[in-house]
Amino acid sequence: IWLAKNGGATVGTHASIASGEVLGSIFFSGSDGSTFVNGASIHAIADSSVGSNDMPGALIFSTTPDGDDDVDERMRITSGGKVGIGTSSPSTPFEVAQSAGDENATLSCYSTTDAHTATLNLRKSANATIGTAAATASGETLGQIVAQGYDTDNDLKASSIIRFQGDAAPDGDSVPGKILFMTSDLDDSG
């Protein structure tokens, strides 16, 4: 399947499209007994300004909530590769957002075997090339969990941090580590 969009009004000519224009869509519909109603859709859009041999695209995944007949955006993959669930403009590689409610991430494991666990892995290599492993150093931050809030100037600030850090130089079979618990006070600027 090839869906192509031209900004021109004349057949056989080409004109650029604008940022935000839909490049193509797939709709998934079902009958409600009298007509077909959309249950979900996937849209491809121009994610920002286009140019010669430059077509930044995003994918938008939408579903229809119960009791409604129109699709709502649920997830977006931007032209920069960022994934947003509940947000159309994710600020990090993966962002989940919810308005007026608790936001949770759940990792579940159902097993009768003790070795099976629900695991959140924070991994660090001392090499900047993706997929290339290199030993980390003593004192190097290996990962962290940060709780943030907005100050009175509406700037996002760290309130509390759980930091996982190398405690000594790694050897052939271990990476010694420690866990640091940090909190902010009224004099902190970060």
Side-chain angles (χ1 to χ4, degrees):
I1 298 174
W2 179 22
L3 304 175
K5 171 79 181 238
N6 180 3
T10 305
V11 175
T13 64
H14 282 275
S16 293
I17 62 167
S19 177
E21 280 196 56
V22 175
L23 303 175
S25 300
I26 301 172
F27 288 92
F28 305 89
S29 303
S31 177
D32 66 359
S34 60
T35 188
F36 286 105
V37 179
N38 292 330
S41 66
I42 301 171
H43 298 289
I45 67 164
D47 199 23
S48 60
S49 298
V50 302
S52 179
N53 293 315
D54 178 27
M55 186 60 57
L59 286 176
I60 300 170
F61 297 83
S62 302
T63 62
T64 302
D66 190 22
D68 201 348
D69 64 353
D70 197 18
V71 295
D72 293 334
E73 180 176 335
R74 304 299 186 191
M75 183 175 81
R76 181 181 295 229
I77 303 172
T78 69
S79 61
K82 295 178 179 176
V83 177
I85 298 176
T87 177
S88 61
S89 55
S91 59
T92 59
F94 181 67
E95 181 176 351
V96 179
Q98 180 173 322
S99 176
D102 294 332
E103 189 56 62
N104 298 297
T106 302
L107 304 173
S108 299
C109 176
Y110 302 92
S111 176
T112 59
T113 304
D114 285 344
H116 298 166
T117 63
T119 303
L120 173 64
N121 289 307
L122 305 175
R123 295 182 178 158
K124 173 84 182 270
S125 171
N127 189 301
T129 302
I130 293 174
T132 304
T136 53
S138 177
E140 187 168 348
T141 298
L142 305 177
Q144 60 188 20
I145 300 170
V146 180
Q148 298 176 311
Y150 287 93
D151 66 11
T152 55
D153 293 327
N154 293 324
D155 294 325
L156 193 60
K157 301 290 184 175
S159 169
S160 306
I161 300 173
I162 302 172
R163 181 172 290 162
F164 307 94
Q165 199 169 61
D167 197 29
D171 61 22
D173 63 356
S174 68
V175 178
K178 63 183 174 183
I179 301 174
L180 305 171
F181 294 88
M182 298 174 281
T183 60
S184 174
D185 61 33
L186 289 177
D187 296 327
D188 287 346
S189 61

